[in-house]
Amino acid sequence: MLRKSRYLEFVPPDIGVGDIGGLGNLKEWLIQRSAAFSDKARAYGLPEPKGLFLLGVQGCGKSLSAKAVAALWQVPLLRLDVAALFEGRAEEGLRDTIRIAESLAPVVLWIDEIEKAFLGEASGSRVFGSFLTWMQEKKAAVFVVATANEVRSLPPELLRKGRFDEIFFVDLPNVHERLEILEIHLRHRSRDPEHFDLLAIAEETERHSGAELEQIIVAAMFLSFAAGRDLQ
């Protein structure tokens, strides 16, 4: 079914909560709901979780967080290509997307940069209305993770309570979070963080995003490799 879809792709669960530096409130929220799709949760009287809206600065972990949700909850992750969806017959494409996602439930549906789909969209448009109605009334276990860099022109109905369970703002990391991010990227590259003065680097990289911190590590490794020595 996914191979036949022009708009959905399966994303391998290769990112865990431990691969994300900072974002402590978001991690805690996700861990508390790690059994949200279980029969035990239904028997307890809990509703199916609806979704999560991540707003914030580019390169600060929104996409990583979407991947971590699926890995933590142990459900498949599907990514919706909103640009492709709105290039063609959007209303029909949205119906097909919803049908496929619901047939694979429980599943996480990741809508990256949702503002590309609905930025400036008229509140009364049929596609927008269909999406809002589905978000409000869906019964299948499809957890929507929407990310956005810009929301000032998004229709306010999209962010009303009831569409999403929670909204998180993902900001630039502070010095402690930068230290954690640097340690994570060094470990991913088989280096011991204890061998480096990472606190000094964290203090010198104010207003750097997580993606920029990763590139600092990568650039340093290229320099070291070219010089024929280990990373310093």
Side-chain angles (χ1 to χ4, degrees):
M1 292 179 70
L2 283 175
R3 281 196 293 269
K4 293 178 181 178
S5 173
R6 293 175 50 202
Y7 315 115
L8 286 175
E9 64 172 326
F10 172 74
V11 180
D14 54 359
I15 297 292
V17 171
D19 297 312
I20 302 173
L23 304 184
N25 290 337
L26 174 58
K27 291 177 184 176
E28 182 181 358
W29 191 90
L30 293 174
I31 292 170
Q32 288 174 347
R33 288 159 178 77
S34 57
F37 289 132
S38 67
D39 294 335
K40 187 177 179 180
R42 300 292 81 73
Y44 191 79
L46 289 172
E48 296 280 6
K50 292 178 178 291
L52 180 64
F53 195 98
L54 301 176
L55 158 68
V57 183
Q58 291 184 2
C60 287
K62 298 189 298 296
S63 298
L64 286 177
S65 298
K67 296 177 181 179
V69 175
L72 178 64
W73 292 0
Q74 297 183 327
V75 296
L77 175 63
L78 307 180
R79 182 181 180 274
L80 173 62
D81 187 343
V82 292
L85 179 66
F86 279 80
E87 281 176 359
R89 302 170 66 177
E91 190 172 5
E92 180 181 336
L94 181 62
R95 281 198 304 268
D96 290 344
T97 296
I98 290 172
R99 177 177 54 82
I100 293 172
E102 289 187 338
S103 71
L104 296 172
V107 69
V108 173
L109 178 62
W110 172 24
I111 307 178
D112 197 22
E113 297 184 340
I114 194 173
E115 70 269 28
K116 290 183 178 179
F118 298 126
L119 195 62
E121 186 78 8
S123 296
S125 75
R126 293 179 63 177
V127 178
F128 181 67
S130 298
F131 180 75
L132 288 187
T133 300
W134 175 69
M135 282 291 296
Q136 187 73 34
E137 301 179 359
K138 62 183 170 70
K139 302 299 182 183
V142 179
F143 186 81
V144 176
V145 178
T147 67
N149 301 319
E150 171 61 65
V151 295
R152 283 177 293 182
S153 300
L154 279 173
E157 301 96 313
L158 182 64
L159 302 179
R160 184 175 67 79
K161 277 289 187 181
R163 316 285 190 208
F164 296 94
D165 296 318
E166 194 57 86
I167 299 173
F168 283 91
F169 178 70
V170 181
D171 203 356
L172 291 168
N174 61 34
V175 63
H176 304 293
E177 292 168 332
R178 294 196 296 274
L179 181 61
E180 185 180 355
I181 291 167
L182 290 166
E183 290 175 347
I184 288 171
H185 287 302
L186 280 171
R187 290 195 189 98
H188 282 176
R189 291 161 178 83
S190 303
R191 298 302 193 281
D192 185 353
E194 296 296 328
H195 294 164
F196 305 92
D197 186 5
L198 294 184
L199 182 57
I201 300 174
E203 291 174 342
E204 289 290 332
T205 50
E206 187 177 358
R207 302 195 65 78
H208 282 59
S209 69
E212 290 169 331
L213 292 171
E214 179 183 11
Q215 289 309 306
I216 287 174
I217 302 290
V218 171
M221 291 188 69
F222 270 113
L223 288 172
S224 300
F225 181 74
R229 55 172 171 76
D230 199 7
L231 181 65
Q232 297 178 359

